[in-house]
Each structure stands twice: as structure tokens, then as C-alpha cells.
Amino acid sequence: MHLLLVPADDDAVRLARLDAHGVLLGEPWQLGREDLPAAVAGLERDEAPRWVWDTTSDLYSALLQAGTRLARCHDISLARTVLRFSTLVQDPDYARFALDVTGSAEYPVSDAVEPEQRQESLFEAPRSHRSLEEVRQEFAAQLKAVETSRAPARLRLLLAAESAAALVAAEMRFLGVPWDQAVHRELLEEALGPEPAPGRRPALMEDLVVRLRELLRAPRLNPDSPQELLKTLHRNGIEVKTTRQWELKSSDHPAIEPLLEYKKLSRLHTANGWTWLDAWIRDGRFRPDYVVGGVVTGRWSSRGGGALQIPRSVRRAARALPGWKLLVADASQVEPRILAAMSADEGMARAARGQDLYAEIADAGFGGSRSSAKIALLGAMYGSTTGESARLMPQLKKLYPRAIALVEEAARTGERGGAVSTWLGRSTPPPGPDWDAAQRTQSQEEQRRADAWARARGRFTRNFVVQGTAAEWAECWLAGIRSRLAGLPLPDGAEAASPTGPAELVFFLHDEIMIHAPEELMPRCVEAVESAAREAGTLLFGRAPVDFPLTVAVVDSYDQAK
DNA sequence: CACCCCCGCGCG
DNA sequence: AAAGCGCGCGGGGGTG
């Protein structure tokens, strides 16, 4: 049973029951927005439907704020992103349908807004109103596209995982990562000195600027300007081509050490300093926007606060509340394990059965050198053509012919302008309008550029199949964790404070999750995370002989994990 | 003033 | 040590 939810205007939502093919069952009806949460909660309890809507965050955020958690949904816009390019889809009508809806937009855009502009009203205003019938038709077209596709089960799983991920993302933003302002301010002061006036450099950075100006004999140097810095370095005989840290490290000039220190502090100050705290931490929680499927490979992206780049240096401030703990679980070496499973390469699958895949590969063919094995394998998945990884490739190819063939075939397809797909059927978008003309060019100079473009696209498609399938595994893992946590009992004496239950799934970073929960619930959470990982492997690959081991830490603050 | 690109660096 | 993939963000510096 499906329940379709379509915003009608500023204060109403239309609902309709649909059958398994998206056909109307009975008459649609309408509810005022203020009545919606209670009505939805009742329908969820009585009918346990799959909720169908265009964009999860448009409606679900408000439901969460009203205290309603939902078990499952179908996010039409996420499904559209997958289905419009998927090479598994054969329905000739669907691509046209998707194009009509999306117009020329290539990828989903976040509805993120600046935090101070965020409306905390119950419902965010939808960007455009489509009628219930239009939305229903698109949903029905999606169901048909899946059922008539070359692999309905895979696409069904992918769309279910994406929709579950959309629920998780909304819940994560609703809950937020617990963030201790005081600890954060402490570590800022420790590193940078007292909070400066707005627009001013912190004291310890200013001290370094004074030293740099003396050491480089440049009394007006602004080290934040790469151009200016580069000229100044050259005047002092420091012959670097860029001002990147790794290149600066090659010089032993006395100004280098304070310069690197300045860059480190500057990064902390501008990216996660006091301004960041004021902008992003409310009521002790960090609530960024997560954009499910925001990356072309299917990974999540985020908007605001640099949510997926929280540097190690500030992780101490992500802290569990008193009596609670953080569970940080990290799936080890996911991409090579995915490659082993996808390619059914027996040798690599054997290596992927242990805790440390790189060590197994090292023993199997690299004289026990784990670092060589790792460099070789990463090079194979990223398309490295130079240096040590290129030198090690022949050996890797001999050891794991099927695995290497899979990524090389993906690269060749991409170089030709073709599409490649993940295990569950997310495909690369076509290369863009200029591709064909560029590849047909006559001039030698343009031909060189076209070849470079083709090689770059080959590296992209090579990595796409692995990164994208890893993202699918991770979303299945996430969905499994979500449903298991929902079944956990409240600890004795605890009240149901949150619609998402006693354990809070608060963070997700490609192959890592964080749960914030009462300490006594942690054993149950660890079991949930581990059994969900096993289930994710089985969902994708059946009884594949590949393990997806986790590193699990139960800690008080994020920095204590790993 | 807004807008865009480049640079550099944080994360996986 | 980075390299080879995928991102977001803030500052500088140019343009309109």
C-alpha cells in the first residue's frame, strides 16, 4: 500500500491511496498542514504504508518536528535521478518523462539555505506545485520503469536504499551531532588565542605574520594571498611552483616552519573557528544539510558547515551527553572489498575474507609489503598511471585478473564516451554536449586536449563503478541500522524524548556512522551496526564470500575513535 | 555591489 | 610524499 503526499498550497496537503502500480484507490483527500502530523501518525500506525512524495525533506522535516517518525518512503526525486540515466532502464517513455520534470538540471540541488535564513516554520515552502495527478503519474512511470528494466530487483533495492537514506538524512539533521561549544572554544583559544574582533586575525596568527614578514623581508606580506606569497618566496630564493604545504616542505628556509604553522592555524580559524560555531551550532547540536545522492557516484554531499569534512582537530568537541556515549563505526577497506565482490575475482575475494585485505594481498604477491599492495590497489581503482602504483600494476593484474579487468573495462568504456553502472544500476551521465565535437577534432593541439579529456573520463568511470557500489553498500548498511535502532526498547526510567527512538543515528560519512545513545543501550547498538553490515553485504551480493568488517568504538567524544 | 574562477586544504 | 577518484568551503582576485 502506498500513500501519496503532495503539497497543494501554503497550508494544505493532498493525500491519496495508491495500489502496487501507482493507480488511485478511492478519492484523494486534503488536510490542512496543522492537521497533517497527527493524521500521518495515525495512518502510519494503522496502515504502515510506504509514503510516496517528491522530496523527503519537504514534508518529513516538519513531521519529525511534530514528533512523527515514518518507517519507509519512496522519494520520487531521488528515484528520478537514478532512473533517468540508468542503463538498466529499457522503458523508452521514462527518459522523456524524467527530462520533462527536471528540465535541464543535471543533478539534484540542495534546498539548503543560510542558517540564519532558515525558516523554523513547520513546513518549508515547496518550490513549485505539481498537481497530485502529475506526481502520481511520475510515480507510476517510475514503478513501470523498474519493473520493465533489465534488473528490477537491483533497482528496487537501490531505490529503497536511497529513500531510506533520505529518511536518515532528515532525521540526522533533525537530531544533530551533539556539539560541546565550551570544548570547541577551549581548543580554539589553545591554538589561536582569545577570540578576536570580527574581521581580525587571532593573536597567535598575527604573531606568526609578524615573524614571517621579518624572515621574508616583506613588511606588508599577506600570507593569505597565494600570489603575493609566491612572489615573496621567490624573492627569498625559495623556488616553489605553488604554495601547497607538501611542496613548501621541500625547502629548509627558516620561514617555512612558521608559514606551515600559519597555514594550519588559518585553516582552523576560517573553516571551523568562532564564525563556524556561531553559524552552525544551535542548542548544542551541529545540524548541517545532507544531500542524499548529491555526488554523481551516489555518495552523499552536504551543504553548510562542511559537514563531511569535520577535521580531526575539532572532533574533541563532538561529545556525548552525560550518561550517553557515541558509537563510531567505520567499515574497513570498503572499495577494494566491493571490487572483489563485483568482479567475483576468487583470489581477491579470498583476500577480502580477512580483517586486513591489504595485508592479505601483500602476502599473496607483494613479498609481504602492505604499503606496496595498498598503493597498487588504490592506483588500480583511481587510474594512476605514474610512479610506484603504475610499476606494481602488472603484478596486481597477474594476481587478480578479473578484478583488474573490471576496472580497466570501465575505464575504456568511459574513454569512448560510454556509460558505466554500479552494481545496483546507477549509471554515469553522458559526457556532455561538447564531447563528440572535441573527440572528432582535426587540429593536433585540440586532439591532445581531447585525449586528455578522454583519459580523465576513463579515470572517472573506472572509479565510478567502485565508489558508487560502495555508496550503495553503505546506504543499505545505513538503512539496516536505522530499522534496527527503531526497534530498541527505551531504557528503564527513560521517557520517549525523540520520535526516532532512544538511540540517535546522528552522522554518516561515506563509510562511517555515528550513533548517540544512552550508555546502557550501547551493546544493542553495536549488535545492530554489525548485523546491518552483514545484511548489507548479503543484500548486494547474495552469499558472496566477501566480508565487510567494521571498526567499532564506543567513546565519549569523536576524537577518541580510531 | 554581485558574480565567478582559482587556489589550497579539509574529509572519505 | 603524492599520486590516481569523489566532494565543500573560504579567501583572494578578477570581471561586469
Side-chain angles (χ1 to χ4, degrees), chain A residues 212 215 233 238 240 245 248-261:
Chain A
L212 283 170
L215 286 163
L233 292 173
I238 304 168
V240 285
Q245 353 177 12
L248 294 175
K249 279 177 191 155
S250 63
S251 165
D252 54 6
H253 191 283
I256 296 301
E257 187 253 305
L259 178 55
L260 292 174
E261 178 66 10

Side-chain angles (χ1 to χ4, degrees), chain A residues 223-533:
Chain A
D224 294 325
S225 163
Q227 290 181 21
E228 207 185 320
L229 182 58
L230 198 59
K231 275 189 218 144
T232 306
L233 292 173
H234 288 169
R235 272 209 309 279
N236 284 270
I238 304 168
E239 295 306 326
V240 285
K241 286 202 283 295
T242 72
T243 62
R244 294 184 197 131
Q245 353 177 12
W246 69 266
E247 203 181 339
L248 294 175
K249 279 177 191 155
S250 63
S251 165
D252 54 6
H253 191 283
I256 296 301
E257 187 253 305
L259 178 55
L260 292 174
E261 178 66 10
Y262 178 86
K263 280 171 162 279
K264 210 179 81 193
L265 296 187
S266 169
R267 172 75 194 179
L268 174 63
H269 175 56
T270 56
N272 298 98
W274 292 275
T275 313
W276 182 90
L277 262 179
D278 293 342
W280 291 104
I281 306 302
R282 286 273 179 284
D283 310 320
R285 298 274 177 153
F286 174 41
R287 294 191 176 83
D289 291 299
Y290 299 98
V291 187
V292 175
V295 178
V296 63
T297 57
R299 278 185 173 185
W300 290 19
S301 64
S302 69
R303 293 282 297 267
L308 306 188
Q309 318 146 242
I310 298 172
R312 284 167 194 283
S313 56
V314 303
R315 291 185 181 184
R316 218 167 79 207
R319 300 188 75 84
L321 293 174
W324 289 47
K325 291 276 183 185
L326 297 178
L327 185 165
V328 181
D330 174 308
S332 318
Q333 308 159 338
V334 178
E335 293 190 1
R337 289 170 195 277
I338 289 288
L339 176 57
M342 288 179 86
S343 62
D345 187 301
E346 276 187 38
M348 195 179 280
R350 213 175 303 126
R353 223 160 296 156
Q355 283 289 312
D356 188 350
L357 170 141
Y358 295 126
E360 302 284 340
I361 292 178
D363 289 341
F366 291 90
S369 166
R370 187 181 183 280
S371 68
S372 292
K374 186 173 177 178
I375 286 167
L377 198 45
L378 290 177
M381 291 188 300
Y382 290 155
S384 176
T385 54
T386 59
E388 198 181 349
S389 67
R391 225 170 38 247
L392 296 168
M393 268 301 282
Q395 172 64 2
L396 194 66
K397 207 165 169 172
K398 209 170 82 192
L399 278 173
Y400 307 122
R402 295 187 65 158
I404 302 308
L406 187 148
V407 286
E408 297 206 322
E409 177 58 27
R412 279 197 298 273
T413 302
E415 286 168 6
R416 288 197 305 267
V420 300
S421 299
T422 60
W423 187 249
L424 295 185
R426 184 191 302 271
S427 303
T428 49
D434 301 336
W435 175 268
D436 288 338
Q439 298 300 321
R440 276 198 314 266
T441 183
Q442 303 296 328
S443 112
Q444 210 173 6
E445 170 61 21
E446 284 178 350
Q447 188 61 57
R448 257 217 332 269
R449 271 213 302 274
D451 290 347
W453 188 5
R455 282 193 302 275
R457 189 159 191 281
R459 289 193 298 273
F460 163 63
T461 52
R462 170 195 291 266
N463 186 249
F464 180 94
V465 295
V466 179
Q467 186 184 118
T469 305
E472 290 165 350
W473 179 89
E475 280 192 342
C476 288
W477 182 39
L478 199 55
I481 294 169
R482 176 181 188 265
S483 62
R484 283 164 174 78
L485 294 187
L488 292 186
L490 288 175
D492 290 343
E495 62 230 72
S498 163
T500 57
E504 304 175 339
L505 182 52
V506 292
F507 193 59
F508 171 57
L509 181 55
H510 309 317
D511 58 5
E512 179 181 327
I513 61 98
M514 185 192 292
I515 295 169
H516 180 233
E519 186 167 6
E520 61 266 39
L521 234 43
M522 275 298 162
R524 304 284 301 267
C525 293
V526 172
E527 168 53 26
V529 162
E530 286 183 331
S531 75

Side-chain angles (χ1 to χ4, degrees), chain A residues 122-179:
Chain A
L122 264 188
F123 291 88
E124 285 155 33
R127 285 164 296 291
S128 66
H129 284 305
R130 286 195 292 156
S131 72
L132 183 135
E133 181 53 19
E134 284 174 303
V135 178
R136 187 200 65 76
Q137 281 181 19
E138 184 177 14
F139 175 56
Q142 293 187 339
L143 293 176
K144 175 166 167 265
V146 169
E147 294 318 310
T148 60
S149 75
R150 284 203 291 273
R154 291 190 187 203
L155 282 176
R156 267 199 299 271
L157 177 56
L158 176 51
L159 299 194
E162 287 273 293
S163 292
L167 296 172
V168 171
E171 287 163 5
M172 280 182 177
R173 159 134 177 226
F174 169 75
L175 294 166
V177 179
W179 205 274

